[in-house]
Structures are given as structure tokens and as C-alpha cells.
Amino acid sequence: MSLAMTLHLLAAIVWVGGMFFAHMALRPAAAQLLDPPQRLPLLLKVFDGFFPWVWLAVILILVTGSWVLFSVFNGAATTSVWIMTLVGTLMAAIFVFIYAVPYHRMSEALQAGELPKAGEAMALIRKLIGTNLILGLSVTTLAVAGKYSGF
Ligand code: HEM
């Protein structure tokens, strides 16, 4: 249980912290200083580096969370843990969609030199990462506040 929860928390920190940095600091700085021909390849490289860690984080969160929920708690969990399970699964689905659709599209468009198409894919990735960031911060708040208030 302690190992599973440590991995669960480390994975949440890497995923949510990475999204916070990318969304709140890196992207606005790149938008201010760089034009699309420089900005879009930079952001693609950032995703190339970050997304393998997100895959690992998503797998760890789902495996450790489900293990604690079903093997340790035997499915008898508080409402906040059930909401976490639902929202966590939604976040994972959003990430898989980002990876499979707009990230793939952005990579192909940049290889073909189609900047407007890459820009469109990037705009979708930005919205979806923004959504997952809000969900991740909310679910973390709910998980911790829920645990210490018994919700
Ligand atoms: C399928 C998805 C998930 C499942 C099944 C799950 C399950 C669990 C379980 C069973 C606990 C232990 C609760 C307790 O000790 O009372 C827990 C704790 C926690 N989870 Fe999740 N979780 C999931 C997704 C997430 C996500 C996506 C995040 C954040 C991005 C997250 C953040 C946390 C945090 C911060 C705690 C620690 C609460 C504390 O001990 O103070 N979980 N989770």
C-alpha cells in the first residue's frame, strides 16, 4: 500500500506538474518570443520528451490506484475516491486522444512543412492539456481534501 501510494503520488506530481509548467510558463513564453516556424518544432520536441513520461505516469496511476481500490479497500471506498477514479480515467482517455490524434497530426504536418495544419493541431493540444490540467488539479484537491475530511 505505501509503495503503491508513493508511486501514485509521484506519477501525479510528474504529470500534473509537467502540464502546469508547459501550459502556464513554456507555451506563453514561446508564443511571445518565437514565430510559428520556430515555435511549433520546439513544442513538438517538448512533447516528444514529455509524453513518454506521461505514458508511464498514466499507467502507474491507473495500476496503483486500481490495486489499492480493489485489493486493499476491496471496493469499499469513499465518494471522493470514486470521483477520483472516474476523473482519472477521463484524464487518461484525454491523454490517449491527444497522443493518437493531434500530436500525431502535428508531427506529420511539421514533417511535410505544413505549418497551418501543425498550428491547428497545436491549438487542440493546448485546449486538451488545459482541460487535463484543470481536472488534475481538481482531482488532487478532491483526493487530499476528501481524505482528511472523510468525504
Ligand atoms: C483510475 C484512476 C485512479 C484511481 C483508481 C485512484 C485511486 C486512489 C486511491 C484508492 C487512493 C487512496 C485513498 C485513501 O488513502 O483514502 C488515492 C489517493 C490519491 N490519489 Fe488517486 N486514483 C486515481 C487517479 C488519480 C489521479 C489522476 C490523481 C491526480 C492527478 C490522483 C491523486 C491522488 C492523490 C493526491 C492521492 C492521495 C490522497 C492522500 O493520501 O492524501 N489520483 N487514489
Side-chain angles (χ1 to χ4, degrees):
M1 164 91 178
S2 63
L3 175 66
M5 275 299 104
T6 305
L7 292 174
H8 194 78
L9 278 183
L10 284 176
I13 288 166
V14 167
W15 188 11
V16 179
M19 289 194 293
F20 190 91
F21 169 73
H23 198 77
M24 305 301 286
L26 178 71
R27 192 195 50 83
Q32 242 180 354
L33 296 177
L34 302 173
D35 289 328
Q38 290 83 40
R39 185 172 74 237
L40 293 170
L42 168 78
L43 292 172
L44 183 70
K45 276 271 168 235
V46 170
F47 296 144
D48 289 346
F50 182 48
F51 284 175
W53 292 104
V54 179
W55 274 113
L56 183 65
V58 167
I59 291 165
L60 277 175
I61 287 179
L62 296 183
V63 169
T64 56
S66 306
W67 184 76
V68 172
L69 179 54
F70 296 109
S71 297
V72 182
F73 295 175
N74 281 319
T78 53
T79 308
S80 64
V81 169
W82 286 114
I83 297 174
M84 171 168 30
T85 306
L86 195 76
V87 178
T89 306
L90 175 66
M91 287 175 65
I94 291 175
F95 171 68
V96 172
F97 177 78
I98 293 173
Y99 193 88
V101 182
Y103 169 59
H104 190 74
R105 226 181 258 162
M106 184 177 175
S107 170
E108 280 188 345
L110 282 177
Q111 268 171 26
E114 296 172 359
L115 280 178
K117 215 170 149 192
E120 273 170 34
M122 180 58 225
L124 181 56
I125 294 175
R126 180 174 60 80
K127 279 186 202 136
L128 292 172
I129 290 186
T131 305
N132 256 359
L133 175 59
I134 292 168
L135 292 176
L137 291 172
S138 310
V139 91
T140 302
T141 306
L142 178 86
V144 179
K147 178 163 175 166
Y148 294 100
S149 67
F151 169 62

